Amino acid sequence: GAVVSQHPSRVICKSGTSVKIECRSLDFQATTMFWYRQFPKQSLMLMATSNEGSKATYEQGVEKDKFLINHASLTLSTLTVTSAHPEDSSFYICSARTDYGYTFGSGTRLTVV
Amino acid sequence: GENVEQHPSTLSVQEGDSAVIKCTYSDSASNYFPWYKQELGKRPQLIIDIRSNVGEKKDQRIAVTLNKTAKHFSLHITETQPEDSAVYFCAASIRGGGSYIPTFGRGTSLIVHP
């Protein structure tokens, strides 16, 4: 149980375009979703925390206008990287809080060319 | 806020040896300490966790110990195998009620040589 499905797993986009990443909780209601960014061989950097039906809380240094987070339902949270640039290339991963801890999505490898 | 320190950043062992990864935390209110294993390009997977009312927990070759007084917890892997090679993350959080955010350590890259 407590599975989070994340799509797409890989995406390559042109500089200046936007990319949407989706995380769906398949068998539970994800009231809270955490969005992380991970650079190679580094830890998970929390970008923002989203709660269903309310605005996301962004960590210091994360541009809320660039990384749009929507958590419109208890089973879906999305992260949109707007006007993507090569420096946004990274591994993005979501995590939902469950009754038993935290469960992660499979991650999205974003490459901006 | 919570601060989690994890050591070492890299750990290289021979197959069959034991591996120990240590974490410290700062917030005495933290009561839930999970450990995750992440293989390259994949999601972190929970391998074991411990709550603050327990001092030790074991699951086959993996064990976690917690010292609440000293605010540190450790992951112990015995009889390591090459497939144990991965990055391991510790985390600390407050479980139960309210809004809480898990704080992750920086990760330990474990390399098990055959």
Side-chain angles (χ1 to χ4, degrees), chain A residues 4 34 36 38 42-44 46 49 91 93 97 99-102 104-106, chain B residues 32 36 38 41 43-44 49 89 93 95 98-102 104-106:
Chain A
V4 173
F34 304 103
Y36 296 90
Q38 187 176 34
Q42 293 191 25
S43 188
L44 300 155
L46 180 65
T49 302
F91 188 65
I93 192 165
R97 190 170 68 212
D99 291 339
Y100 307 102
Y102 310 96
F104 288 86
S106 54
Chain B
Y32 177 64
Y36 292 89
Q38 187 180 27
R43 78 183 81 197
D49 57 11
F89 293 100
S93 70
R95 180 167 171 173
S99 177
Y100 55 91
I101 300 171
F104 288 88
R106 295 176 64 85

PDB file of all heavy atoms in Angstrom, chain A residues 4 34 36 38 42-44 46 49 91 93 97 99-102 104-106, chain B residues 32 36 38 41 43-44 49 89 93 95 98-102 104-106:
ATOM      1  N   VAL A   4       2.985   6.056  -4.468  1.00  0.00           N
ATOM      2  CA  VAL A   4       2.917   7.327  -5.180  1.00  0.00           C
ATOM      3  C   VAL A   4       3.449   7.105  -6.590  1.00  0.00           C
ATOM      4  O   VAL A   4       4.586   6.638  -6.755  1.00  0.00           O
ATOM      5  CB  VAL A   4       3.723   8.419  -4.462  1.00  0.00           C
ATOM      6  CG1 VAL A   4       3.783   9.680  -5.326  1.00  0.00           C
ATOM      7  CG2 VAL A   4       3.098   8.747  -3.111  1.00  0.00           C
ATOM      8  N   PHE A  34       5.472  16.503  -0.369  1.00  0.00           N
ATOM      9  CA  PHE A  34       6.740  17.231  -0.356  1.00  0.00           C
ATOM     10  C   PHE A  34       7.384  17.109  -1.729  1.00  0.00           C
ATOM     11  O   PHE A  34       7.377  16.043  -2.335  1.00  0.00           O
ATOM     12  CB  PHE A  34       7.681  16.647   0.702  1.00  0.00           C
ATOM     13  CG  PHE A  34       7.106  16.617   2.089  1.00  0.00           C
ATOM     14  CD1 PHE A  34       6.623  15.436   2.636  1.00  0.00           C
ATOM     15  CD2 PHE A  34       7.044  17.773   2.848  1.00  0.00           C
ATOM     16  CE1 PHE A  34       6.091  15.412   3.911  1.00  0.00           C
ATOM     17  CE2 PHE A  34       6.510  17.752   4.137  1.00  0.00           C
ATOM     18  CZ  PHE A  34       6.034  16.565   4.661  1.00  0.00           C
ATOM     19  N   TYR A  36      10.969  17.545  -3.757  1.00  0.00           N
ATOM     20  CA  TYR A  36      12.410  17.621  -3.563  1.00  0.00           C
ATOM     21  C   TYR A  36      13.121  17.742  -4.905  1.00  0.00           C
ATOM     22  O   TYR A  36      12.641  17.290  -5.944  1.00  0.00           O
ATOM     23  CB  TYR A  36      12.932  16.363  -2.860  1.00  0.00           C
ATOM     24  CG  TYR A  36      12.427  16.155  -1.458  1.00  0.00           C
ATOM     25  CD1 TYR A  36      11.264  15.425  -1.226  1.00  0.00           C
ATOM     26  CD2 TYR A  36      13.115  16.657  -0.372  1.00  0.00           C
ATOM     27  CE1 TYR A  36      10.800  15.208   0.067  1.00  0.00           C
ATOM     28  CE2 TYR A  36      12.658  16.447   0.922  1.00  0.00           C
ATOM     29  CZ  TYR A  36      11.503  15.721   1.131  1.00  0.00           C
ATOM     30  OH  TYR A  36      11.051  15.506   2.406  1.00  0.00           O
ATOM     31  N   GLN A  38      17.053  16.833  -6.349  1.00  0.00           N
ATOM     32  CA  GLN A  38      18.250  16.107  -5.963  1.00  0.00           C
ATOM     33  C   GLN A  38      19.298  16.217  -7.058  1.00  0.00           C
ATOM     34  O   GLN A  38      19.052  15.832  -8.206  1.00  0.00           O
ATOM     35  CB  GLN A  38      17.928  14.638  -5.692  1.00  0.00           C
ATOM     36  CG  GLN A  38      19.090  13.851  -5.111  1.00  0.00           C
ATOM     37  CD  GLN A  38      18.711  12.422  -4.753  1.00  0.00           C
ATOM     38  OE1 GLN A  38      17.899  11.802  -5.418  1.00  0.00           O
ATOM     39  NE2 GLN A  38      19.312  11.902  -3.686  1.00  0.00           N
ATOM     40  N   GLN A  42      24.013  13.870  -4.216  1.00  0.00           N
ATOM     41  CA  GLN A  42      23.689  14.762  -3.114  1.00  0.00           C
ATOM     42  C   GLN A  42      22.371  14.365  -2.466  1.00  0.00           C
ATOM     43  O   GLN A  42      21.662  13.484  -2.947  1.00  0.00           O
ATOM     44  CB  GLN A  42      23.624  16.212  -3.597  1.00  0.00           C
ATOM     45  CG  GLN A  42      24.970  16.751  -4.031  1.00  0.00           C
ATOM     46  CD  GLN A  42      24.938  18.253  -4.249  1.00  0.00           C
ATOM     47  OE1 GLN A  42      24.113  18.959  -3.676  1.00  0.00           O
ATOM     48  NE2 GLN A  42      25.840  18.750  -5.072  1.00  0.00           N
ATOM     49  N   SER A  43      22.079  15.035  -1.359  1.00  0.00           N
ATOM     50  CA  SER A  43      20.887  14.683  -0.614  1.00  0.00           C
ATOM     51  C   SER A  43      19.638  15.280  -1.250  1.00  0.00           C
ATOM     52  O   SER A  43      19.693  15.974  -2.265  1.00  0.00           O
ATOM     53  CB  SER A  43      21.022  15.176   0.826  1.00  0.00           C
ATOM     54  OG  SER A  43      19.964  14.682   1.622  1.00  0.00           O
ATOM     55  N   LEU A  44      18.524  14.990  -0.632  1.00  0.00           N
ATOM     56  CA  LEU A  44      17.244  15.515  -1.088  1.00  0.00           C
ATOM     57  C   LEU A  44      17.082  16.933  -0.570  1.00  0.00           C
ATOM     58  O   LEU A  44      17.107  17.167   0.637  1.00  0.00           O
ATOM     59  CB  LEU A  44      16.112  14.631  -0.566  1.00  0.00           C
ATOM     60  CG  LEU A  44      16.182  13.183  -1.035  1.00  0.00           C
ATOM     61  CD1 LEU A  44      15.465  12.275  -0.066  1.00  0.00           C
ATOM     62  CD2 LEU A  44      15.567  13.063  -2.419  1.00  0.00           C
ATOM     63  N   LEU A  46      14.643  19.883  -0.008  1.00  0.00           N
ATOM     64  CA  LEU A  46      13.228  20.197   0.007  1.00  0.00           C
ATOM     65  C   LEU A  46      12.982  21.520  -0.694  1.00  0.00           C
ATOM     66  O   LEU A  46      13.602  22.531  -0.369  1.00  0.00           O
ATOM     67  CB  LEU A  46      12.726  20.262   1.458  1.00  0.00           C
ATOM     68  CG  LEU A  46      11.240  20.575   1.637  1.00  0.00           C
ATOM     69  CD1 LEU A  46      10.386  19.446   1.062  1.00  0.00           C
ATOM     70  CD2 LEU A  46      10.905  20.801   3.103  1.00  0.00           C
ATOM     71  N   THR A  49       6.428  22.390   0.345  1.00  0.00           N
ATOM     72  CA  THR A  49       5.444  21.479   0.950  1.00  0.00           C
ATOM     73  C   THR A  49       4.072  21.924   0.494  1.00  0.00           C
ATOM     74  O   THR A  49       3.725  23.109   0.623  1.00  0.00           O
ATOM     75  CB  THR A  49       5.521  21.541   2.482  1.00  0.00           C
ATOM     76  OG1 THR A  49       6.847  21.211   2.894  1.00  0.00           O
ATOM     77  CG2 THR A  49       4.534  20.568   3.110  1.00  0.00           C
ATOM     78  N   PHE A  91      17.029  16.017 -10.841  1.00  0.00           N
ATOM     79  CA  PHE A  91      16.123  14.921 -10.518  1.00  0.00           C
ATOM     80  C   PHE A  91      15.114  15.467  -9.526  1.00  0.00           C
ATOM     81  O   PHE A  91      15.482  15.921  -8.444  1.00  0.00           O
ATOM     82  CB  PHE A  91      16.936  13.757  -9.935  1.00  0.00           C
ATOM     83  CG  PHE A  91      16.169  12.481  -9.725  1.00  0.00           C
ATOM     84  CD1 PHE A  91      15.647  11.791 -10.802  1.00  0.00           C
ATOM     85  CD2 PHE A  91      15.997  11.955  -8.459  1.00  0.00           C
ATOM     86  CE1 PHE A  91      14.962  10.594 -10.619  1.00  0.00           C
ATOM     87  CE2 PHE A  91      15.315  10.764  -8.260  1.00  0.00           C
ATOM     88  CZ  PHE A  91      14.789  10.089  -9.348  1.00  0.00           C
ATOM     89  N   ILE A  93      11.697  14.825  -7.220  1.00  0.00           N
ATOM     90  CA  ILE A  93      11.005  13.691  -6.621  1.00  0.00           C
ATOM     91  C   ILE A  93      10.004  14.185  -5.582  1.00  0.00           C
ATOM     92  O   ILE A  93      10.272  15.132  -4.862  1.00  0.00           O
ATOM     93  CB  ILE A  93      12.025  12.696  -6.020  1.00  0.00           C
ATOM     94  CG1 ILE A  93      11.368  11.370  -5.652  1.00  0.00           C
ATOM     95  CG2 ILE A  93      12.770  13.289  -4.840  1.00  0.00           C
ATOM     96  CD1 ILE A  93      12.372  10.257  -5.410  1.00  0.00           C
ATOM     97  N   ARG A  97       3.239  12.034   2.848  1.00  0.00           N
ATOM     98  CA  ARG A  97       3.196  11.536   4.224  1.00  0.00           C
ATOM     99  C   ARG A  97       2.046  10.537   4.338  1.00  0.00           C
ATOM    100  O   ARG A  97       0.941  10.796   3.882  1.00  0.00           O
ATOM    101  CB  ARG A  97       3.000  12.690   5.193  1.00  0.00           C
ATOM    102  CG  ARG A  97       3.177  12.311   6.658  1.00  0.00           C
ATOM    103  CD  ARG A  97       3.199  13.536   7.541  1.00  0.00           C
ATOM    104  NE  ARG A  97       1.908  14.197   7.578  1.00  0.00           N
ATOM    105  CZ  ARG A  97       1.758  15.515   7.724  1.00  0.00           C
ATOM    106  NH1 ARG A  97       2.817  16.287   7.787  1.00  0.00           N
ATOM    107  NH2 ARG A  97       0.564  16.039   7.787  1.00  0.00           N
ATOM    108  N   ASP A  99       0.275   7.227   6.950  1.00  0.00           N
ATOM    109  CA  ASP A  99       0.104   6.826   8.346  1.00  0.00           C
ATOM    110  C   ASP A  99       1.337   6.105   8.875  1.00  0.00           C
ATOM    111  O   ASP A  99       1.522   5.971  10.085  1.00  0.00           O
ATOM    112  CB  ASP A  99      -1.115   5.923   8.487  1.00  0.00           C
ATOM    113  CG  ASP A  99      -2.402   6.680   8.251  1.00  0.00           C
ATOM    114  OD1 ASP A  99      -2.403   7.915   8.376  1.00  0.00           O
ATOM    115  OD2 ASP A  99      -3.414   6.025   7.911  1.00  0.00           O
ATOM    116  N   TYR A 100       2.172   5.625   7.966  1.00  0.00           N
ATOM    117  CA  TYR A 100       3.304   4.796   8.364  1.00  0.00           C
ATOM    118  C   TYR A 100       4.647   5.465   8.096  1.00  0.00           C
ATOM    119  O   TYR A 100       5.686   4.844   8.243  1.00  0.00           O
ATOM    120  CB  TYR A 100       3.224   3.447   7.637  1.00  0.00           C
ATOM    121  CG  TYR A 100       1.876   2.787   7.826  1.00  0.00           C
ATOM    122  CD1 TYR A 100       0.918   2.828   6.825  1.00  0.00           C
ATOM    123  CD2 TYR A 100       1.561   2.154   9.020  1.00  0.00           C
ATOM    124  CE1 TYR A 100      -0.328   2.239   7.014  1.00  0.00           C
ATOM    125  CE2 TYR A 100       0.328   1.572   9.211  1.00  0.00           C
ATOM    126  CZ  TYR A 100      -0.615   1.617   8.209  1.00  0.00           C
ATOM    127  OH  TYR A 100      -1.834   1.035   8.395  1.00  0.00           O
ATOM    128  N   GLY A 101       4.604   6.723   7.691  1.00  0.00           N
ATOM    129  CA  GLY A 101       5.870   7.396   7.410  1.00  0.00           C
ATOM    130  C   GLY A 101       5.770   8.198   6.130  1.00  0.00           C
ATOM    131  O   GLY A 101       4.837   8.959   5.937  1.00  0.00           O
ATOM    132  N   TYR A 102       6.741   8.007   5.261  1.00  0.00           N
ATOM    133  CA  TYR A 102       6.770   8.752   4.012  1.00  0.00           C
ATOM    134  C   TYR A 102       7.008   7.790   2.858  1.00  0.00           C
ATOM    135  O   TYR A 102       7.786   6.855   2.975  1.00  0.00           O
ATOM    136  CB  TYR A 102       7.894   9.789   4.028  1.00  0.00           C
ATOM    137  CG  TYR A 102       7.883  10.659   5.269  1.00  0.00           C
ATOM    138  CD1 TYR A 102       8.691  10.350   6.353  1.00  0.00           C
ATOM    139  CD2 TYR A 102       7.031  11.754   5.351  1.00  0.00           C
ATOM    140  CE1 TYR A 102       8.672  11.115   7.491  1.00  0.00           C
ATOM    141  CE2 TYR A 102       7.008  12.525   6.496  1.00  0.00           C
ATOM    142  CZ  TYR A 102       7.826  12.201   7.565  1.00  0.00           C
ATOM    143  OH  TYR A 102       7.798  12.958   8.691  1.00  0.00           O
ATOM    144  N   PHE A 104       7.873   7.718  -1.429  1.00  0.00           N
ATOM    145  CA  PHE A 104       8.382   8.554  -2.506  1.00  0.00           C
ATOM    146  C   PHE A 104       7.833   8.145  -3.861  1.00  0.00           C
ATOM    147  O   PHE A 104       7.552   6.971  -4.116  1.00  0.00           O
ATOM    148  CB  PHE A 104       9.910   8.462  -2.555  1.00  0.00           C
ATOM    149  CG  PHE A 104      10.604   9.168  -1.431  1.00  0.00           C
ATOM    150  CD1 PHE A 104      10.829   8.532  -0.227  1.00  0.00           C
ATOM    151  CD2 PHE A 104      11.033  10.485  -1.590  1.00  0.00           C
ATOM    152  CE1 PHE A 104      11.466   9.182   0.811  1.00  0.00           C
ATOM    153  CE2 PHE A 104      11.673  11.145  -0.547  1.00  0.00           C
ATOM    154  CZ  PHE A 104      11.886  10.491   0.660  1.00  0.00           C
ATOM    155  N   GLY A 105       7.722   9.136  -4.739  1.00  0.00           N
ATOM    156  CA  GLY A 105       7.486   8.844  -6.142  1.00  0.00           C
ATOM    157  C   GLY A 105       8.766   8.320  -6.755  1.00  0.00           C
ATOM    158  O   GLY A 105       9.819   8.305  -6.108  1.00  0.00           O
ATOM    159  N   SER A 106       8.704   7.901  -7.989  1.00  0.00           N
ATOM    160  CA  SER A 106       9.867   7.298  -8.648  1.00  0.00           C
ATOM    161  C   SER A 106      10.822   8.329  -9.221  1.00  0.00           C
ATOM    162  O   SER A 106      11.894   7.980  -9.703  1.00  0.00           O
ATOM    163  CB  SER A 106       9.411   6.346  -9.759  1.00  0.00           C
ATOM    164  OG  SER A 106       8.552   7.032 -10.641  1.00  0.00           O
TER     165      SER A 106
ATOM    166  N   TYR B  32      10.475  10.145  15.254  1.00  0.00           N
ATOM    167  CA  TYR B  32      10.403   9.117  14.218  1.00  0.00           C
ATOM    168  C   TYR B  32      11.624   9.230  13.330  1.00  0.00           C
ATOM    169  O   TYR B  32      11.941  10.314  12.826  1.00  0.00           O
ATOM    170  CB  TYR B  32       9.119   9.295  13.398  1.00  0.00           C
ATOM    171  CG  TYR B  32       8.989   8.328  12.251  1.00  0.00           C
ATOM    172  CD1 TYR B  32       8.888   6.962  12.474  1.00  0.00           C
ATOM    173  CD2 TYR B  32       8.968   8.783  10.938  1.00  0.00           C
ATOM    174  CE1 TYR B  32       8.781   6.075  11.418  1.00  0.00           C
ATOM    175  CE2 TYR B  32       8.863   7.909   9.879  1.00  0.00           C
ATOM    176  CZ  TYR B  32       8.769   6.551  10.124  1.00  0.00           C
ATOM    177  OH  TYR B  32       8.659   5.672   9.083  1.00  0.00           O
ATOM    178  N   TYR B  36      16.455   5.321   4.591  1.00  0.00           N
ATOM    179  CA  TYR B  36      16.105   5.031   3.208  1.00  0.00           C
ATOM    180  C   TYR B  36      17.332   4.584   2.437  1.00  0.00           C
ATOM    181  O   TYR B  36      18.444   5.052   2.681  1.00  0.00           O
ATOM    182  CB  TYR B  36      15.518   6.271   2.528  1.00  0.00           C
ATOM    183  CG  TYR B  36      14.170   6.676   3.083  1.00  0.00           C
ATOM    184  CD1 TYR B  36      14.092   7.542   4.171  1.00  0.00           C
ATOM    185  CD2 TYR B  36      12.992   6.198   2.530  1.00  0.00           C
ATOM    186  CE1 TYR B  36      12.868   7.914   4.693  1.00  0.00           C
ATOM    187  CE2 TYR B  36      11.763   6.559   3.049  1.00  0.00           C
ATOM    188  CZ  TYR B  36      11.711   7.420   4.124  1.00  0.00           C
ATOM    189  OH  TYR B  36      10.496   7.776   4.642  1.00  0.00           O
ATOM    190  N   GLN B  38      18.704   4.403  -1.480  1.00  0.00           N
ATOM    191  CA  GLN B  38      18.417   4.905  -2.823  1.00  0.00           C
ATOM    192  C   GLN B  38      19.457   4.400  -3.806  1.00  0.00           C
ATOM    193  O   GLN B  38      20.643   4.712  -3.682  1.00  0.00           O
ATOM    194  CB  GLN B  38      18.377   6.440  -2.855  1.00  0.00           C
ATOM    195  CG  GLN B  38      17.924   6.987  -4.196  1.00  0.00           C
ATOM    196  CD  GLN B  38      17.881   8.507  -4.223  1.00  0.00           C
ATOM    197  OE1 GLN B  38      18.594   9.173  -3.495  1.00  0.00           O
ATOM    198  NE2 GLN B  38      17.024   9.059  -5.084  1.00  0.00           N
ATOM    199  N   GLY B  41      19.378   6.738  -9.642  1.00  0.00           N
ATOM    200  CA  GLY B  41      18.262   7.070 -10.513  1.00  0.00           C
ATOM    201  C   GLY B  41      16.910   6.544 -10.064  1.00  0.00           C
ATOM    202  O   GLY B  41      15.932   6.641 -10.808  1.00  0.00           O
ATOM    203  N   ARG B  43      13.900   5.825  -6.724  1.00  0.00           N
ATOM    204  CA  ARG B  43      13.330   6.474  -5.555  1.00  0.00           C
ATOM    205  C   ARG B  43      13.937   5.934  -4.273  1.00  0.00           C
ATOM    206  O   ARG B  43      14.336   4.768  -4.214  1.00  0.00           O
ATOM    207  CB  ARG B  43      11.812   6.255  -5.540  1.00  0.00           C
ATOM    208  CG  ARG B  43      11.390   4.859  -5.055  1.00  0.00           C
ATOM    209  CD  ARG B  43       9.893   4.668  -5.119  1.00  0.00           C
ATOM    210  NE  ARG B  43       9.448   4.331  -6.467  1.00  0.00           N
ATOM    211  CZ  ARG B  43       8.187   4.431  -6.871  1.00  0.00           C
ATOM    212  NH1 ARG B  43       7.261   4.881  -6.040  1.00  0.00           N
ATOM    213  NH2 ARG B  43       7.847   4.083  -8.087  1.00  0.00           N
ATOM    214  N   PRO B  44      14.000   6.755  -3.236  1.00  0.00           N
ATOM    215  CA  PRO B  44      14.415   6.228  -1.929  1.00  0.00           C
ATOM    216  C   PRO B  44      13.393   5.211  -1.435  1.00  0.00           C
ATOM    217  O   PRO B  44      12.195   5.417  -1.541  1.00  0.00           O
ATOM    218  CB  PRO B  44      14.441   7.472  -1.041  1.00  0.00           C
ATOM    219  CG  PRO B  44      14.559   8.622  -1.990  1.00  0.00           C
ATOM    220  CD  PRO B  44      13.790   8.202  -3.199  1.00  0.00           C
ATOM    221  N   ASP B  49      12.821   1.678  10.184  1.00  0.00           N
ATOM    222  CA  ASP B  49      12.558   2.907  10.926  1.00  0.00           C
ATOM    223  C   ASP B  49      12.458   2.587  12.410  1.00  0.00           C
ATOM    224  O   ASP B  49      12.332   1.429  12.800  1.00  0.00           O
ATOM    225  CB  ASP B  49      11.294   3.604  10.427  1.00  0.00           C
ATOM    226  CG  ASP B  49      10.047   2.711  10.499  1.00  0.00           C
ATOM    227  OD1 ASP B  49      10.117   1.627  11.117  1.00  0.00           O
ATOM    228  OD2 ASP B  49       9.008   3.095   9.924  1.00  0.00           O
ATOM    229  N   PHE B  89      20.078   7.265   3.357  1.00  0.00           N
ATOM    230  CA  PHE B  89      19.708   8.521   3.998  1.00  0.00           C
ATOM    231  C   PHE B  89      19.013   8.241   5.325  1.00  0.00           C
ATOM    232  O   PHE B  89      18.142   7.375   5.402  1.00  0.00           O
ATOM    233  CB  PHE B  89      18.723   9.311   3.123  1.00  0.00           C
ATOM    234  CG  PHE B  89      19.299   9.818   1.846  1.00  0.00           C
ATOM    235  CD1 PHE B  89      19.076   9.155   0.652  1.00  0.00           C
ATOM    236  CD2 PHE B  89      20.043  10.986   1.820  1.00  0.00           C
ATOM    237  CE1 PHE B  89      19.601   9.621  -0.543  1.00  0.00           C
ATOM    238  CE2 PHE B  89      20.566  11.456   0.634  1.00  0.00           C
ATOM    239  CZ  PHE B  89      20.352  10.773  -0.550  1.00  0.00           C
ATOM    240  N   SER B  93      11.902  13.190  12.131  1.00  0.00           N
ATOM    241  CA  SER B  93      10.676  13.960  12.033  1.00  0.00           C
ATOM    242  C   SER B  93       9.832  13.718  13.275  1.00  0.00           C
ATOM    243  O   SER B  93      10.154  12.874  14.106  1.00  0.00           O
ATOM    244  CB  SER B  93       9.888  13.584  10.774  1.00  0.00           C
ATOM    245  OG  SER B  93       9.350  12.290  10.900  1.00  0.00           O
ATOM    246  N   ARG B  95       6.293  12.452  14.405  1.00  0.00           N
ATOM    247  CA  ARG B  95       5.177  11.673  13.885  1.00  0.00           C
ATOM    248  C   ARG B  95       3.978  11.788  14.824  1.00  0.00           C
ATOM    249  O   ARG B  95       4.076  11.585  16.010  1.00  0.00           O
ATOM    250  CB  ARG B  95       5.586  10.214  13.754  1.00  0.00           C
ATOM    251  CG  ARG B  95       4.476   9.350  13.211  1.00  0.00           C
ATOM    252  CD  ARG B  95       4.996   8.001  12.797  1.00  0.00           C
ATOM    253  NE  ARG B  95       3.876   7.129  12.494  1.00  0.00           N
ATOM    254  CZ  ARG B  95       4.028   5.922  11.967  1.00  0.00           C
ATOM    255  NH1 ARG B  95       5.227   5.475  11.702  1.00  0.00           N
ATOM    256  NH2 ARG B  95       2.983   5.179  11.728  1.00  0.00           N
ATOM    257  N   GLY B  98      -0.614  17.328  13.606  1.00  0.00           N
ATOM    258  CA  GLY B  98      -0.008  18.576  13.173  1.00  0.00           C
ATOM    259  C   GLY B  98       0.774  18.444  11.875  1.00  0.00           C
ATOM    260  O   GLY B  98       0.749  17.436  11.210  1.00  0.00           O
ATOM    261  N   SER B  99       1.449  19.471  11.558  1.00  0.00           N
ATOM    262  CA  SER B  99       2.231  19.507  10.324  1.00  0.00           C
ATOM    263  C   SER B  99       3.705  19.374  10.655  1.00  0.00           C
ATOM    264  O   SER B  99       4.225  20.110  11.477  1.00  0.00           O
ATOM    265  CB  SER B  99       1.972  20.833   9.602  1.00  0.00           C
ATOM    266  OG  SER B  99       2.754  20.922   8.446  1.00  0.00           O
ATOM    267  N   TYR B 100       4.362  18.445  10.077  1.00  0.00           N
ATOM    268  CA  TYR B 100       5.786  18.269  10.334  1.00  0.00           C
ATOM    269  C   TYR B 100       6.465  17.889   9.038  1.00  0.00           C
ATOM    270  O   TYR B 100       5.872  17.308   8.150  1.00  0.00           O
ATOM    271  CB  TYR B 100       6.029  17.216  11.402  1.00  0.00           C
ATOM    272  CG  TYR B 100       5.397  15.881  11.093  1.00  0.00           C
ATOM    273  CD1 TYR B 100       6.099  14.895  10.409  1.00  0.00           C
ATOM    274  CD2 TYR B 100       4.097  15.618  11.464  1.00  0.00           C
ATOM    275  CE1 TYR B 100       5.513  13.689  10.108  1.00  0.00           C
ATOM    276  CE2 TYR B 100       3.505  14.419  11.175  1.00  0.00           C
ATOM    277  CZ  TYR B 100       4.216  13.447  10.498  1.00  0.00           C
ATOM    278  OH  TYR B 100       3.635  12.253  10.204  1.00  0.00           O
ATOM    279  N   ILE B 101       7.723  18.244   8.951  1.00  0.00           N
ATOM    280  CA  ILE B 101       8.499  18.016   7.748  1.00  0.00           C
ATOM    281  C   ILE B 101       9.688  17.146   8.099  1.00  0.00           C
ATOM    282  O   ILE B 101      10.421  17.467   9.034  1.00  0.00           O
ATOM    283  CB  ILE B 101       8.981  19.351   7.152  1.00  0.00           C
ATOM    284  CG1 ILE B 101       7.779  20.232   6.791  1.00  0.00           C
ATOM    285  CG2 ILE B 101       9.856  19.109   5.931  1.00  0.00           C
ATOM    286  CD1 ILE B 101       8.176  21.644   6.392  1.00  0.00           C
ATOM    287  N   PRO B 102       9.900  16.065   7.366  1.00  0.00           N
ATOM    288  CA  PRO B 102      11.077  15.241   7.643  1.00  0.00           C
ATOM    289  C   PRO B 102      12.342  15.975   7.228  1.00  0.00           C
ATOM    290  O   PRO B 102      12.379  16.633   6.192  1.00  0.00           O
ATOM    291  CB  PRO B 102      10.840  13.996   6.775  1.00  0.00           C
ATOM    292  CG  PRO B 102       9.984  14.472   5.658  1.00  0.00           C
ATOM    293  CD  PRO B 102       9.117  15.558   6.233  1.00  0.00           C
ATOM    294  N   PHE B 104      16.228  15.326   6.216  1.00  0.00           N
ATOM    295  CA  PHE B 104      17.107  14.250   5.774  1.00  0.00           C
ATOM    296  C   PHE B 104      18.569  14.581   6.026  1.00  0.00           C
ATOM    297  O   PHE B 104      18.987  15.734   5.959  1.00  0.00           O
ATOM    298  CB  PHE B 104      16.908  13.983   4.278  1.00  0.00           C
ATOM    299  CG  PHE B 104      15.609  13.312   3.961  1.00  0.00           C
ATOM    300  CD1 PHE B 104      14.468  14.056   3.729  1.00  0.00           C
ATOM    301  CD2 PHE B 104      15.516  11.931   3.907  1.00  0.00           C
ATOM    302  CE1 PHE B 104      13.254  13.440   3.455  1.00  0.00           C
ATOM    303  CE2 PHE B 104      14.311  11.302   3.635  1.00  0.00           C
ATOM    304  CZ  PHE B 104      13.185  12.062   3.406  1.00  0.00           C
ATOM    305  N   GLY B 105      19.332  13.553   6.293  1.00  0.00           N
ATOM    306  CA  GLY B 105      20.774  13.694   6.317  1.00  0.00           C
ATOM    307  C   GLY B 105      21.298  13.837   4.900  1.00  0.00           C
ATOM    308  O   GLY B 105      20.557  13.684   3.930  1.00  0.00           O
ATOM    309  N   ARG B 106      22.587  14.084   4.778  1.00  0.00           N
ATOM    310  CA  ARG B 106      23.168  14.336   3.466  1.00  0.00           C
ATOM    311  C   ARG B 106      23.432  13.069   2.670  1.00  0.00           C
ATOM    312  O   ARG B 106      23.765  13.134   1.495  1.00  0.00           O
ATOM    313  CB  ARG B 106      24.454  15.138   3.628  1.00  0.00           C
ATOM    314  CG  ARG B 106      24.233  16.537   4.193  1.00  0.00           C
ATOM    315  CD  ARG B 106      25.546  17.248   4.413  1.00  0.00           C
ATOM    316  NE  ARG B 106      26.261  17.489   3.160  1.00  0.00           N
ATOM    317  CZ  ARG B 106      26.037  18.538   2.379  1.00  0.00           C
ATOM    318  NH1 ARG B 106      25.130  19.420   2.703  1.00  0.00           N
ATOM    319  NH2 ARG B 106      26.721  18.701   1.274  1.00  0.00           N
TER     320      ARG B 106
END
